[in-house]
Amino acid sequence: MDVKKKMAVFIISDSIGETAYNLATAATVQFPDVEFDYQRFPLTKTTSLLAGILEQAKRADAFIVHTLVGKGLAAYVNKFCAENQLCVLDGMSKLIQTISSKTGTTPLLQAGRNHKLNKTYFSRIEALEFAVTYDDGKDPTGFLKADIVLLGVSRTSKTPLSLYLANKNYKVANLPLVPQTRIPEELWQVDPKKIFGLTNDPQVLNNIRRERLVTYGLNPETNYSNLNNIEAELAFAEKLYHKIGCLVINVSNKSIEETATLITESLPLNH
């Protein structure tokens, strides 16, 4: 049996470290045969704290990813790594220096600037509250207020997609589709360009529903997971999508992020 290579990754930030973590994982996911040990050190704002962390990194021969912007912190880490033959990725200082040079302006060098409670933050909270309120068609009036309306049979990622898009400041309402169920009148009043029909491959949906039932300790052989019933549900949905004239997206081989990008890039320009 092959033993996976192991690598320690120290993620250091003088803010919450979300950017540094995303940067590190975006790269390390490309190496499935390596076992990465992520150690996160957020809110590291002094060289005394850094000194202890860097000594740990030296003992672990760690790869260091940092997004330090506080005065002197990035230089302190980079110098230590150079002197101790540690691999380091500085995710901020060169970018900041380039912008400063290009614009002729001086950077603030304040950690966590993108997490301040600004208009965008409150807009995102409002969008998240909207997604929860108008999830699963609980209130059809939400379709008239939404930036995006998602339609789909059960287990086509409507709710997680709604929440992901809400994090991007879009107000999203969604409606589960069940054959023989009345479609709310409000849906027909929505611009079809703001409506997106989600579908899936029958066998993929069958597997997802069976696994969900097993997770809840239920018998996987039910009408809910029956392949013929699933095909009928999908046919009903496809017919509705055609009648509405909305964009149809098959989510079977797409991540939430990929589907969300397709949706946002297809929205009317005056959103």
Side-chain angles (χ1 to χ4, degrees), residues 157-204:
S157 303
K158 295 183 300 300
T159 297
L161 189 54
S162 295
L163 294 173
Y164 181 87
L165 287 164
N167 265 300
K168 302 293 183 183
N169 289 358
Y170 292 96
K171 292 181 179 179
V172 186
N174 71 69
L175 177 68
L177 299 179
V178 181
Q180 284 80 54
T181 299
R182 187 183 69 83
I183 301 300
E185 286 299 320
E186 290 84 351
L187 187 64
W188 304 107
Q189 301 172 41
V190 179
D191 181 353
K193 292 179 181 177
K194 294 165 65 174
I195 302 175
F196 297 87
L198 306 178
T199 189
N200 207 328
D201 295 339
Q203 191 59 60
V204 173

Short mmCIF file of all heavy atoms in Angstrom, two decimals, residues 157-204:
data_model
loop_
_atom_site.label_atom_id
_atom_site.label_comp_id
_atom_site.label_asym_id
_atom_site.label_seq_id
_atom_site.Cartn_x
_atom_site.Cartn_y
_atom_site.Cartn_z
N SER A 157 -30.06 20.72 -5.28
CA SER A 157 -29.18 21.74 -4.67
C SER A 157 -29.80 23.13 -4.60
O SER A 157 -29.08 24.14 -4.58
CB SER A 157 -27.84 21.82 -5.42
OG SER A 157 -27.20 20.58 -5.44
N LYS A 158 -31.13 23.22 -4.52
CA LYS A 158 -31.77 24.54 -4.50
C LYS A 158 -31.36 25.36 -3.27
O LYS A 158 -30.98 26.52 -3.38
CB LYS A 158 -33.30 24.38 -4.52
CG LYS A 158 -33.86 23.78 -5.80
CD LYS A 158 -35.36 23.72 -5.79
CE LYS A 158 -35.95 22.89 -4.66
NZ LYS A 158 -35.52 21.47 -4.68
N THR A 159 -31.46 24.76 -2.08
CA THR A 159 -31.18 25.51 -0.85
C THR A 159 -29.70 25.87 -0.71
O THR A 159 -29.39 27.05 -0.47
CB THR A 159 -31.66 24.72 0.38
OG1 THR A 159 -33.09 24.58 0.30
CG2 THR A 159 -31.31 25.45 1.66
N PRO A 160 -28.76 24.93 -0.85
CA PRO A 160 -27.35 25.36 -0.75
C PRO A 160 -26.95 26.39 -1.80
O PRO A 160 -26.16 27.29 -1.54
CB PRO A 160 -26.56 24.05 -0.92
CG PRO A 160 -27.52 23.05 -1.46
CD PRO A 160 -28.86 23.48 -1.00
N LEU A 161 -27.54 26.27 -2.98
CA LEU A 161 -27.26 27.23 -4.04
C LEU A 161 -27.83 28.61 -3.68
O LEU A 161 -27.19 29.65 -3.91
CB LEU A 161 -27.85 26.73 -5.36
CG LEU A 161 -27.50 27.48 -6.64
CD1 LEU A 161 -26.00 27.61 -6.81
CD2 LEU A 161 -28.11 26.76 -7.84
N SER A 162 -29.03 28.61 -3.09
CA SER A 162 -29.64 29.87 -2.65
C SER A 162 -28.75 30.58 -1.62
O SER A 162 -28.54 31.79 -1.69
CB SER A 162 -31.02 29.61 -2.03
OG SER A 162 -31.93 29.11 -2.98
N LEU A 163 -28.23 29.81 -0.68
CA LEU A 163 -27.39 30.40 0.38
C LEU A 163 -26.05 30.87 -0.18
O LEU A 163 -25.52 31.91 0.24
CB LEU A 163 -27.19 29.40 1.50
CG LEU A 163 -28.47 29.03 2.28
CD1 LEU A 163 -28.19 27.90 3.26
CD2 LEU A 163 -29.01 30.26 3.01
N TYR A 164 -25.50 30.11 -1.12
CA TYR A 164 -24.23 30.51 -1.73
C TYR A 164 -24.40 31.83 -2.48
O TYR A 164 -23.58 32.75 -2.36
CB TYR A 164 -23.73 29.43 -2.68
CG TYR A 164 -22.41 29.76 -3.33
CD1 TYR A 164 -21.20 29.44 -2.70
CD2 TYR A 164 -22.35 30.40 -4.56
CE1 TYR A 164 -19.99 29.76 -3.28
CE2 TYR A 164 -21.14 30.73 -5.15
CZ TYR A 164 -19.96 30.40 -4.51
OH TYR A 164 -18.76 30.73 -5.09
N LEU A 165 -25.49 31.93 -3.25
CA LEU A 165 -25.75 33.16 -4.00
C LEU A 165 -26.07 34.32 -3.06
O LEU A 165 -25.73 35.48 -3.36
CB LEU A 165 -26.91 32.93 -4.97
CG LEU A 165 -26.57 32.06 -6.19
CD1 LEU A 165 -27.84 31.56 -6.88
CD2 LEU A 165 -25.71 32.84 -7.19
N ALA A 166 -26.71 34.02 -1.93
CA ALA A 166 -26.99 35.06 -0.94
C ALA A 166 -25.69 35.65 -0.41
O ALA A 166 -25.59 36.86 -0.15
CB ALA A 166 -27.82 34.50 0.20
N ASN A 167 -24.68 34.82 -0.27
CA ASN A 167 -23.36 35.30 0.17
C ASN A 167 -22.73 36.21 -0.87
O ASN A 167 -21.77 36.91 -0.56
CB ASN A 167 -22.44 34.11 0.46
CG ASN A 167 -22.46 33.75 1.94
OD1 ASN A 167 -22.11 34.56 2.78
ND2 ASN A 167 -22.88 32.53 2.25
N LYS A 168 -23.25 36.16 -2.08
CA LYS A 168 -22.79 37.05 -3.15
C LYS A 168 -23.73 38.25 -3.30
O LYS A 168 -23.71 38.95 -4.31
CB LYS A 168 -22.72 36.29 -4.48
CG LYS A 168 -21.82 35.06 -4.45
CD LYS A 168 -20.36 35.42 -4.28
CE LYS A 168 -19.48 34.19 -4.34
NZ LYS A 168 -18.05 34.53 -4.10
N ASN A 169 -24.60 38.42 -2.30
CA ASN A 169 -25.53 39.56 -2.24
C ASN A 169 -26.72 39.47 -3.19
O ASN A 169 -27.32 40.48 -3.54
CB ASN A 169 -24.80 40.89 -2.46
CG ASN A 169 -23.92 41.27 -1.28
OD1 ASN A 169 -23.89 40.55 -0.28
ND2 ASN A 169 -23.21 42.35 -1.39
N TYR A 170 -27.08 38.26 -3.61
CA TYR A 170 -28.27 38.08 -4.44
C TYR A 170 -29.43 37.60 -3.57
O TYR A 170 -29.26 36.69 -2.75
CB TYR A 170 -28.03 37.06 -5.55
CG TYR A 170 -27.06 37.51 -6.60
CD1 TYR A 170 -25.71 37.16 -6.54
CD2 TYR A 170 -27.48 38.29 -7.68
CE1 TYR A 170 -24.81 37.58 -7.50
CE2 TYR A 170 -26.59 38.71 -8.65
CZ TYR A 170 -25.25 38.35 -8.56
OH TYR A 170 -24.36 38.77 -9.52
N LYS A 171 -30.60 38.19 -3.76
CA LYS A 171 -31.80 37.72 -3.07
C LYS A 171 -32.40 36.58 -3.88
O LYS A 171 -32.80 36.78 -5.03
CB LYS A 171 -32.81 38.87 -2.91
CG LYS A 171 -32.33 39.95 -1.96
CD LYS A 171 -33.37 41.05 -1.82
CE LYS A 171 -32.90 42.12 -0.85
NZ LYS A 171 -33.88 43.22 -0.72
N VAL A 172 -32.47 35.40 -3.27
CA VAL A 172 -32.88 34.20 -4.00
C VAL A 172 -34.08 33.54 -3.32
O VAL A 172 -34.10 33.34 -2.10
CB VAL A 172 -31.72 33.18 -4.07
CG1 VAL A 172 -32.10 32.00 -4.96
CG2 VAL A 172 -30.44 33.85 -4.59
N ALA A 173 -35.06 33.21 -4.13
CA ALA A 173 -36.20 32.40 -3.68
C ALA A 173 -36.19 31.11 -4.48
O ALA A 173 -35.74 31.09 -5.62
CB ALA A 173 -37.51 33.15 -3.90
N ASN A 174 -36.65 30.02 -3.88
CA ASN A 174 -36.68 28.77 -4.64
C ASN A 174 -37.98 28.03 -4.41
O ASN A 174 -38.68 28.23 -3.41
CB ASN A 174 -35.46 27.89 -4.31
CG ASN A 174 -35.51 27.31 -2.92
OD1 ASN A 174 -36.33 26.46 -2.62
ND2 ASN A 174 -34.60 27.75 -2.05
N LEU A 175 -38.30 27.18 -5.37
CA LEU A 175 -39.56 26.42 -5.34
C LEU A 175 -39.29 24.96 -5.67
O LEU A 175 -38.78 24.65 -6.75
CB LEU A 175 -40.55 27.01 -6.34
CG LEU A 175 -41.89 26.27 -6.47
CD1 LEU A 175 -42.71 26.44 -5.20
CD2 LEU A 175 -42.67 26.78 -7.68
N PRO A 176 -39.65 24.04 -4.76
CA PRO A 176 -39.53 22.61 -5.08
C PRO A 176 -40.66 22.21 -6.02
O PRO A 176 -41.80 22.63 -5.83
CB PRO A 176 -39.67 21.93 -3.71
CG PRO A 176 -40.42 22.90 -2.87
CD PRO A 176 -40.10 24.28 -3.38
N LEU A 177 -40.34 21.40 -7.01
CA LEU A 177 -41.34 20.98 -8.00
C LEU A 177 -41.77 19.55 -7.75
O LEU A 177 -40.95 18.64 -7.65
CB LEU A 177 -40.76 21.11 -9.41
CG LEU A 177 -40.34 22.52 -9.84
CD1 LEU A 177 -39.77 22.49 -11.25
CD2 LEU A 177 -41.51 23.50 -9.75
N VAL A 178 -43.07 19.37 -7.65
CA VAL A 178 -43.67 18.05 -7.46
C VAL A 178 -44.82 17.92 -8.45
O VAL A 178 -45.67 18.81 -8.53
CB VAL A 178 -44.21 17.87 -6.02
CG1 VAL A 178 -44.81 16.48 -5.84
CG2 VAL A 178 -43.10 18.12 -4.99
N PRO A 179 -44.84 16.85 -9.25
CA PRO A 179 -45.93 16.68 -10.22
C PRO A 179 -47.31 16.79 -9.57
O PRO A 179 -47.49 16.39 -8.42
CB PRO A 179 -45.68 15.27 -10.78
CG PRO A 179 -44.22 15.06 -10.61
CD PRO A 179 -43.86 15.75 -9.33
N GLN A 180 -48.23 17.34 -10.30
CA GLN A 180 -49.61 17.52 -9.86
C GLN A 180 -49.78 18.60 -8.77
O GLN A 180 -50.87 18.79 -8.24
CB GLN A 180 -50.25 16.21 -9.34
CG GLN A 180 -50.64 15.23 -10.43
CD GLN A 180 -49.46 14.42 -10.93
OE1 GLN A 180 -48.74 13.80 -10.16
NE2 GLN A 180 -49.25 14.43 -12.24
N THR A 181 -48.67 19.29 -8.44
CA THR A 181 -48.79 20.37 -7.46
C THR A 181 -49.00 21.69 -8.20
O THR A 181 -48.36 21.95 -9.22
CB THR A 181 -47.51 20.47 -6.59
OG1 THR A 181 -47.33 19.24 -5.89
CG2 THR A 181 -47.62 21.61 -5.59
N ARG A 182 -49.89 22.54 -7.69
CA ARG A 182 -50.20 23.81 -8.34
C ARG A 182 -49.00 24.74 -8.32
O ARG A 182 -48.34 24.90 -7.28
CB ARG A 182 -51.39 24.48 -7.65
CG ARG A 182 -51.91 25.73 -8.37
CD ARG A 182 -53.03 26.38 -7.58
NE ARG A 182 -52.54 26.98 -6.35
CZ ARG A 182 -51.99 28.19 -6.28
NH1 ARG A 182 -51.88 28.94 -7.37
NH2 ARG A 182 -51.58 28.68 -5.12
N ILE A 183 -48.71 25.34 -9.45
CA ILE A 183 -47.63 26.32 -9.54
C ILE A 183 -48.18 27.68 -9.11
O ILE A 183 -49.21 28.13 -9.62
CB ILE A 183 -47.07 26.41 -10.98
CG1 ILE A 183 -46.55 25.05 -11.43
CG2 ILE A 183 -45.96 27.47 -11.06
CD1 ILE A 183 -45.43 24.47 -10.58
N PRO A 184 -47.54 28.35 -8.15
CA PRO A 184 -48.04 29.66 -7.67
C PRO A 184 -48.19 30.67 -8.80
O PRO A 184 -47.33 30.75 -9.69
CB PRO A 184 -46.97 30.10 -6.66
CG PRO A 184 -46.27 28.85 -6.25
CD PRO A 184 -46.31 27.94 -7.44
N GLU A 185 -49.25 31.45 -8.74
CA GLU A 185 -49.50 32.46 -9.78
C GLU A 185 -48.37 33.47 -9.87
O GLU A 185 -48.06 34.00 -10.94
CB GLU A 185 -50.82 33.19 -9.48
CG GLU A 185 -52.07 32.37 -9.75
CD GLU A 185 -52.18 31.97 -11.22
OE1 GLU A 185 -51.86 32.81 -12.09
OE2 GLU A 185 -52.57 30.83 -11.49
N GLU A 186 -47.72 33.76 -8.72
CA GLU A 186 -46.66 34.76 -8.69
C GLU A 186 -45.51 34.40 -9.63
O GLU A 186 -44.83 35.29 -10.17
CB GLU A 186 -46.12 34.93 -7.27
CG GLU A 186 -47.07 35.59 -6.29
CD GLU A 186 -48.06 34.63 -5.65
OE1 GLU A 186 -48.14 33.45 -6.09
OE2 GLU A 186 -48.75 35.05 -4.71
N LEU A 187 -45.28 33.11 -9.83
CA LEU A 187 -44.15 32.67 -10.66
C LEU A 187 -44.29 33.18 -12.10
O LEU A 187 -43.30 33.53 -12.74
CB LEU A 187 -44.03 31.15 -10.64
CG LEU A 187 -42.80 30.57 -11.32
CD1 LEU A 187 -41.53 31.01 -10.60
CD2 LEU A 187 -42.86 29.05 -11.37
N TRP A 188 -45.52 33.23 -12.57
CA TRP A 188 -45.75 33.65 -13.96
C TRP A 188 -45.57 35.15 -14.15
O TRP A 188 -45.55 35.64 -15.29
CB TRP A 188 -47.15 33.22 -14.40
CG TRP A 188 -47.37 31.74 -14.24
CD1 TRP A 188 -48.14 31.12 -13.30
CD2 TRP A 188 -46.78 30.69 -15.02
NE1 TRP A 188 -48.07 29.76 -13.43
CE2 TRP A 188 -47.24 29.46 -14.49
CE3 TRP A 188 -45.91 30.67 -16.10
CZ2 TRP A 188 -46.87 28.24 -15.00
CZ3 TRP A 188 -45.53 29.44 -16.63
CH2 TRP A 188 -45.99 28.24 -16.09
N GLN A 189 -45.43 35.88 -13.05
CA GLN A 189 -45.23 37.33 -13.13
C GLN A 189 -43.75 37.72 -13.11
O GLN A 189 -43.40 38.89 -13.20
CB GLN A 189 -45.95 38.01 -11.96
CG GLN A 189 -47.45 37.75 -11.93
CD GLN A 189 -48.10 38.28 -10.65
OE1 GLN A 189 -47.77 39.37 -10.18
NE2 GLN A 189 -49.01 37.51 -10.07
N VAL A 190 -42.88 36.72 -12.97
CA VAL A 190 -41.44 36.97 -12.88
C VAL A 190 -40.81 36.94 -14.27
O VAL A 190 -41.18 36.12 -15.12
CB VAL A 190 -40.76 35.91 -11.97
CG1 VAL A 190 -39.26 36.14 -11.89
CG2 VAL A 190 -41.38 35.91 -10.58
N ASP A 191 -39.85 37.82 -14.50
CA ASP A 191 -39.09 37.82 -15.75
C ASP A 191 -38.41 36.46 -15.92
O ASP A 191 -37.63 36.05 -15.04
CB ASP A 191 -38.04 38.94 -15.69
CG ASP A 191 -37.19 39.02 -16.96
OD1 ASP A 191 -37.32 38.16 -17.85
OD2 ASP A 191 -36.40 39.98 -17.06
N PRO A 192 -38.69 35.72 -17.00
CA PRO A 192 -38.08 34.39 -17.19
C PRO A 192 -36.56 34.39 -17.15
O PRO A 192 -35.94 33.38 -16.84
CB PRO A 192 -38.58 33.98 -18.59
CG PRO A 192 -39.84 34.75 -18.79
CD PRO A 192 -39.61 36.06 -18.09
N LYS A 193 -35.94 35.55 -17.43
CA LYS A 193 -34.47 35.63 -17.40
C LYS A 193 -33.92 35.58 -15.98
O LYS A 193 -32.73 35.39 -15.78
CB LYS A 193 -34.01 36.92 -18.09
CG LYS A 193 -34.27 36.93 -19.60
CD LYS A 193 -33.82 38.23 -20.23
CE LYS A 193 -34.11 38.23 -21.73
NZ LYS A 193 -33.74 39.52 -22.35
N LYS A 194 -34.82 35.77 -14.99
CA LYS A 194 -34.40 35.69 -13.59
C LYS A 194 -34.73 34.33 -12.99
O LYS A 194 -34.44 34.06 -11.82
CB LYS A 194 -35.09 36.79 -12.79
CG LYS A 194 -34.65 38.19 -13.20
CD LYS A 194 -35.58 39.27 -12.68
CE LYS A 194 -35.60 39.37 -11.18
NZ LYS A 194 -36.41 40.53 -10.71
N ILE A 195 -35.33 33.45 -13.80
CA ILE A 195 -35.72 32.11 -13.33
C ILE A 195 -34.75 31.08 -13.90
O ILE A 195 -34.39 31.13 -15.08
CB ILE A 195 -37.16 31.77 -13.76
CG1 ILE A 195 -38.14 32.80 -13.21
CG2 ILE A 195 -37.54 30.36 -13.29
CD1 ILE A 195 -39.57 32.60 -13.68
N PHE A 196 -34.34 30.13 -13.06
CA PHE A 196 -33.40 29.09 -13.49
C PHE A 196 -33.93 27.72 -13.07
O PHE A 196 -34.23 27.50 -11.90
CB PHE A 196 -32.02 29.35 -12.91
CG PHE A 196 -31.43 30.65 -13.39
CD1 PHE A 196 -31.71 31.85 -12.72
CD2 PHE A 196 -30.65 30.70 -14.53
CE1 PHE A 196 -31.21 33.05 -13.17
CE2 PHE A 196 -30.14 31.90 -14.99
CZ PHE A 196 -30.42 33.07 -14.31
N GLY A 197 -34.06 26.85 -14.07
CA GLY A 197 -34.57 25.50 -13.82
C GLY A 197 -33.42 24.53 -13.61
O GLY A 197 -32.56 24.36 -14.49
N LEU A 198 -33.37 23.92 -12.44
CA LEU A 198 -32.32 22.96 -12.12
C LEU A 198 -32.80 21.55 -12.42
O LEU A 198 -33.92 21.19 -12.08
CB LEU A 198 -31.93 23.09 -10.65
CG LEU A 198 -31.55 24.48 -10.16
CD1 LEU A 198 -31.23 24.47 -8.68
CD2 LEU A 198 -30.39 25.05 -10.96
N THR A 199 -31.94 20.77 -13.06
CA THR A 199 -32.28 19.38 -13.33
C THR A 199 -31.07 18.50 -13.00
O THR A 199 -30.01 19.01 -12.61
CB THR A 199 -32.72 19.20 -14.80
OG1 THR A 199 -33.24 17.88 -14.97
CG2 THR A 199 -31.57 19.43 -15.76
N ASN A 200 -31.26 17.21 -13.13
CA ASN A 200 -30.20 16.27 -12.79
C ASN A 200 -30.40 15.00 -13.61
O ASN A 200 -31.48 14.78 -14.16
CB ASN A 200 -30.22 15.95 -11.29
CG ASN A 200 -28.87 15.56 -10.74
OD1 ASN A 200 -28.05 14.96 -11.44
ND2 ASN A 200 -28.61 15.89 -9.48
N ASP A 201 -29.36 14.17 -13.68
CA ASP A 201 -29.50 12.89 -14.36
C ASP A 201 -30.28 11.94 -13.45
O ASP A 201 -30.01 11.90 -12.24
CB ASP A 201 -28.13 12.30 -14.68
CG ASP A 201 -27.37 13.15 -15.71
OD1 ASP A 201 -28.03 13.93 -16.42
OD2 ASP A 201 -26.15 13.04 -15.77
N PRO A 202 -31.24 11.18 -13.99
CA PRO A 202 -32.08 10.32 -13.15
C PRO A 202 -31.29 9.38 -12.24
O PRO A 202 -31.60 9.25 -11.05
CB PRO A 202 -32.91 9.53 -14.18
CG PRO A 202 -32.94 10.40 -15.38
CD PRO A 202 -31.63 11.11 -15.40
N GLN A 203 -30.25 8.74 -12.77
CA GLN A 203 -29.51 7.77 -11.96
C GLN A 203 -28.73 8.47 -10.85
O GLN A 203 -28.64 7.97 -9.72
CB GLN A 203 -28.54 6.97 -12.85
CG GLN A 203 -27.93 5.77 -12.14
CD GLN A 203 -28.96 4.77 -11.65
OE1 GLN A 203 -29.73 4.22 -12.43
NE2 GLN A 203 -29.02 4.56 -10.33
N VAL A 204 -28.18 9.64 -11.15
CA VAL A 204 -27.47 10.41 -10.13
C VAL A 204 -28.42 10.81 -9.01
O VAL A 204 -28.12 10.68 -7.82
CB VAL A 204 -26.82 11.66 -10.75
CG1 VAL A 204 -26.23 12.57 -9.67
CG2 VAL A 204 -25.74 11.28 -11.75
#
